[in-house]
Amino acid sequence: DGGITQSPKYLFRKEGQNVTLSCEQNLNHDAMYWYRQDPGQGLRLIYYSQIVNDFQKGDIAEGYSVSREKKESFPLTVTSAQKNPTAFYLCASSSGLAGGGVSRETQYFGPGTRLLVL
Amino acid sequence: QKEVEQNSGPLSVPEGAIASLNCTYSDRGSQSFFWYRQYSGKSPELIMFIYSNGDKEDGRFTAQLNKASQYVSLLIRDSQPSDSATYLCAVNIGGGTSYGKLTFGQGTILTVHP
């Protein structure tokens, strides 16, 4: 089955700790994205990557870091600099450069990781 | 003004009625528009996208786009209780080199009551 997986489903962070959220896709998509969703809010873009070994800051990148060493993987690290990390984190992918027309922009989401602070 | 704004909810409609969800956007250069449905505690799932002015129908769902007025709407005909969810509008603000980068509205909560 093709899809996007995120792990863990729930993650607890202690103060001052860095934690890493995993995102893997087997859709052969070029582009991948990380969003944060707070209760009752829409999605806010943290980072995105249109191709391996390249990524761009989104609207709320401070306190987060990413890497894109493989096409299938786009892990997100929530650093200790992120003072309010409690949120629902969503990873998405789209065909990006390889796709055609609007389909290349259509984003598909993983199941999400809920991050809580102890 | 927010870049993507959805009509304030929550919206409550009776079963079998038409639910109308609206979204306005600020950038006239936007090319692509998406509607996602998100059940409580779950991730968004794509309903449909639209990029040409006019209507696009898919089953009980119809997306309507008016670029001159900068709005996009989603109509749900014969609403069912299973349609109760948050509906997110997403827009490719700017288009061009920023393709793929979507800006989301805050969502509209829809409740369909029996």
Side-chain angles (χ1 to χ4, degrees), chain A residues 74-93:
Chain A
F74 191 39
L76 173 74
T77 296
V78 184
T79 74
S80 57
Q82 174 49 245
K83 298 306 180 186
N84 185 22
T86 297
F88 188 39
Y89 290 86
L90 290 157
C91 178
S93 70

Side-chain angles (χ1 to χ4, degrees), chain A residues 38-74:
Chain A
D38 294 283
Q41 303 294 315
L43 278 61
R44 292 186 291 168
L45 183 64
I46 304 173
Y47 269 98
Y48 64 106
S49 168
Q50 294 177 342
I51 199 166
V52 175
N53 292 322
D54 185 54
F55 49 83
Q56 307 295 327
K57 292 182 179 180
D59 301 317
I60 55 165
E62 186 174 350
Y64 301 97
S65 66
V66 294
S67 63
R68 186 86 188 278
E69 297 176 0
K70 297 188 299 181
K71 187 175 184 178
E72 303 80 23
S73 178
F74 191 39

Side-chain angles (χ1 to χ4, degrees), chain B residues 36-80:
Chain B
Y36 287 85
R37 177 176 61 198
Q38 185 177 24
Y39 291 114
S40 181
K42 302 296 185 182
S43 62
E45 52 182 337
L46 179 72
I47 299 174
M48 60 194 308
F49 60 79
I50 186 169
Y51 55 90
S52 298
N53 273 328
D55 296 358
K56 179 181 180 183
E57 188 174 314
D58 184 359
R60 295 187 296 112
F61 299 96
T62 299
Q64 299 175 317
L65 175 61
N66 184 323
K67 290 186 179 180
S69 300
Q70 294 175 242
Y71 83 78
V72 57
S73 62
L74 179 70
L75 300 178
I76 307 174
R77 291 183 301 281
D78 188 24
S79 296
Q80 301 297 309

